[in-house]
């Protein structure tokens, strides 16, 4: 079973990269399961695991009797590390990365404000300790 898991993982990463990279455009049907098994040299069990993972990542929709269709980009789960890595890798204009940075800036401000209002005396003492350690590291 261990080998099958590793094989499925590499196939998942490859499929994510191909879908995010545009090899399989949104709304297109993937080849039949039998054709994919032959092409990839994997069993139906491994392929089912791969398709389930891709569906969980929001990249495909599996429908019995119809096939597996690539979903639209707005369905992709961009917080999934494999999807996020592929999305960044295929960001030729760096617009996506710039959007992530802007989003992070907004979220960090809100999270800091929330943390500040919810901080306990113990939290504040721990922060003072961390600041002191940083000051010491800088002056050392």
């Amino acid at each position: 079973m261990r080998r099958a898991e590793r094989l499925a993982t590499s196939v998942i990463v490859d499929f994510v990269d191909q879908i995010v990279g545009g090899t399989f455009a949104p709304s297109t049907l993937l080849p039949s399961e039998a054709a994919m098994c032959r092409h990839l040299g994997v069993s139906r069990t491994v392929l089912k695991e791969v398709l389930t993972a891709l569906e969980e990542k929001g990249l495909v929709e599996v429908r019995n009797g119809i096939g597996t269709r690539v979903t639209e980009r707005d369905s992709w789960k961009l917080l999934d590390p494999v999807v996020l890595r592929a999305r960044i890798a295929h960001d030729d204009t760096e617009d996506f990365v710039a959007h992530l940075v802007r989003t992070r800036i907004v979220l960090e401000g809100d999270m800091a404000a929330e943390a500040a209002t919810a901080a306990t005396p113990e939290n504040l003492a721990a922060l003072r300790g961390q600041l002191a350690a940083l000051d010491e590291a800088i002056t050392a």
Side-chain angles (χ1 to χ4, degrees), residues 15 19 24 27-36 44 47-48 51-52 54-55 59-71:
F15 260 111
I19 291 170
F24 298 108
S27 299
T28 59
L29 283 172
L30 294 180
S32 70
E33 286 185 9
M36 285 192 283
R44 279 193 84 219
L47 185 63
K48 290 280 189 195
L51 294 177
T52 298
L54 293 176
E55 195 167 32
L59 296 171
V60 298
E61 180 183 22
V62 179
R63 305 213 43 211
N64 291 334
I66 296 174
T68 302
R69 184 176 306 278
V70 177
T71 59

Side-chain angles (χ1 to χ4, degrees), residues 96-109 111:
F96 181 71
V97 172
H99 177 72
L100 286 178
V101 170
R102 286 190 305 274
T103 302
R104 182 176 175 177
I105 289 168
V106 169
L107 290 175
E108 282 181 348
M111 291 186 304

